[in-house]
Amino acid sequence: MISLGIEGTAHTVSVGIVDEACRVLANVSATVRPETGGIHPREAANHHAEKVVPLIEEAVAKAEVPLRDVDLIAFSQGPGLGPCLRTVATAARALALSLEKPIVGVNHCVAHIEIGRGRCKCDDPVLLYASGGNTQVIAYAAGRYRVFGETLDIGVGNMLDKFGREVGMPFPAGPLIEKHAKEGKELQALPYSVKGMDVSFSGQLTAALGLHRRGVRLEDLCFSIQETAFAMLTEVTERAMAHVDKDQVLLGGGVARNRRLQAMVARMAADRGATMFVPEGELCVDNGAMIAWTGLLQHKSGQRMAVEETLIDQRFRTDAVNVTWR
Ligand code: AMP
Ligand code: MG
């Protein structure tokens, strides 16, 4: 069985093609990069509308699978920006109807877990999902992926991008902050906001920008933001692992590409006799392959969706998904 997935919850539109063995036959993307300011949902949606058809063509050519041999169309149903979600859902419906193939809507956060499970062969991990818009600690229990902890305000990647934008870095700032942090020496005190199992980043952003205005070295600030934010994430991930008694931890989301975050979580895992897994970089960030793969799992477990049931859900909760494939 061959599944084609379209991702388009936020800044990136991506088309992936996977087979039943979770082999990624193609995974191609385009990302909006506004010259100034943040991402405007409607502009991003226009970008996705322009790119989605060329990306489908590119994916099909790369995978060397003619469209008629695709068995399933999957798309990101939520959570995300409304105009972006509607654009990719429309593309998916048009494709499914014209090819007369089944269509399935996929929860974006669940897709980050499933591609990690599929590619890293870890069967039952706690997922630290750290991306631009989302930051959640997720684990499977009794038929659902449960959110054990999450950000109370902005996603960790969003915090990095906003800091970067204010100090003059292009989007996405995460990789540049990682680079600067390597030259950091002096740890600056920033708010360490862990509230039970939840985290919060906006106070840290405000404090870091304040220090920047007072002339603190950028390298020291990048270093301090990483040390503080990633320690918070590692702490709540460890608590979730202890609570649900799991010995695997999986990273997902664009921030999971960060080597310092990986090193901190790896150390925590080693200290508790657990194992850390990180998918390939292109499968950490938002991508179509994870949507294709999760859609394939859903379809194989018997899920079917009529076109009328493919409405998008901007606030699609991770724990609202009935995990019929586990
Ligand atoms: P996603 O939302 O999952 O597609 O991931 C995009 C987010 O990941 C953006 O906020 C980026 O700044 C962030 N990101 C990408 N690479 C890195 C990195 N090496 N370190 C920190 N953040 C990163
Ligand atoms: Mg994501």
Side-chain angles (χ1 to χ4, degrees):
M1 190 172 184
I2 301 278
S3 173
L4 182 150
I6 314 179
E7 155 64 31
T9 53
H11 46 69
T12 297
V13 57
S14 174
V15 179
I17 300 178
V18 304
D19 68 9
E20 258 176 283
C22 199
R23 269 188 297 253
V24 177
L25 308 178
N27 194 30
V28 293
S29 305
T31 298
V32 220
R33 292 176 202 281
E35 277 174 28
T36 56
I39 292 162
H40 191 293
R42 204 172 52 242
E43 281 166 20
N46 288 343
H47 164 271
H48 296 358
E50 221 169 85
K51 302 284 183 188
V52 68
V53 172
L55 285 173
I56 291 169
E57 287 167 347
E58 191 185 336
V60 165
K62 257 207 180 132
E64 295 178 17
V65 175
L67 263 181
R68 63 173 183 280
D69 291 351
V70 169
D71 302 295
L72 176 70
I73 307 298
F75 72 99
S76 55
Q77 199 168 10
L81 306 172
C84 299
L85 291 170
R86 275 188 285 274
T87 301
V88 293
T90 305
R93 288 179 202 122
L95 191 58
L97 288 171
S98 65
L99 295 173
E100 298 180 13
K101 299 291 169 159
I103 183 169
V104 63
V106 171
N107 178 291
H108 175 93
C109 307
V110 169
H112 275 289
I113 312 180
E114 290 304 344
I115 195 67
R117 288 181 63 226
R119 296 291 305 171
C120 302
K121 309 285 174 235
C122 54
D123 48 305
D124 192 18
V126 167
L127 173 80
L128 170 58
Y129 169 35
S131 76
N134 300 289
T135 298
Q136 295 182 333
V137 178
I138 303 167
Y140 180 79
R144 304 264 161 174
Y145 283 115
R146 317 261 169 198
V147 179
F148 283 84
E150 64 190 315
T151 179
L152 297 170
D153 43 46
I154 53 177
V156 61
N158 195 231
M159 185 267 290
L160 298 173
D161 295 334
K162 280 187 165 148
F163 175 79
R165 192 170 80 210
E166 296 299 319
V167 305
M169 294 177 192
F171 175 85
L176 296 166
I177 290 176
E178 176 170 20
K179 218 167 125 197
H180 286 301
K182 292 201 180 94
E183 311 297 322
K185 291 185 193 78
E186 274 178 48
L187 187 71
Q188 305 290 317
L190 291 172
Y192 185 97
S193 316
V194 172
K195 301 174 189 191
M197 293 295 286
D198 296 326
V199 291
S200 131
F201 293 108
S202 61
Q204 194 178 325
L205 172 64
T206 309
L209 289 173
L211 290 174
H212 178 69
R213 277 194 295 275
R214 267 171 267 148
V216 174
R217 261 177 93 230
L218 183 62
E219 291 81 358
D220 288 341
L221 277 178
C222 293
F223 169 67
S224 307
I225 291 171
Q226 285 200 169
E227 294 304 302
T228 312
F230 297 167
M232 287 160 51
L233 294 176
T234 307
E235 180 187 328
V236 292
T237 305
E238 176 163 33
R239 206 169 307 123
M241 290 173 75
H243 183 70
V244 294
D245 197 21
K246 297 197 200 264
D247 60 4
Q248 297 178 331
V249 57
L250 173 68
L251 299 188
V255 185
R257 300 180 87 153
N258 187 291
R259 299 283 172 182
R260 181 60 187 138
L261 177 61
Q262 292 177 11
M264 276 195 203
V265 175
R267 173 69 200 274
M268 174 274 281
D271 284 352
R272 11 184 337 106
T275 314
M276 178 186 76
F277 300 87
V278 188
E280 302 104 289
E282 67 161 283
L283 298 175
C284 280
V285 295
D286 291 352
N287 67 89
M290 70 179 189
I291 302 297
W293 173 242
T294 309
L296 191 147
L297 294 174
Q298 291 177 217
H299 185 84
K300 275 177 58 183
S301 73
Q303 284 190 27
R304 298 292 179 269
M305 276 187 195
V307 171
E308 303 80 66
E309 294 167 300
T310 59
L311 283 180
I312 59 119
D313 182 355
Q314 281 169 256
R315 297 180 190 279
F316 197 175
R317 293 282 308 173
T318 304
D319 44 18
V321 175
N322 186 8
V323 183
T324 48
W325 58 92
R326 278 187 70 164

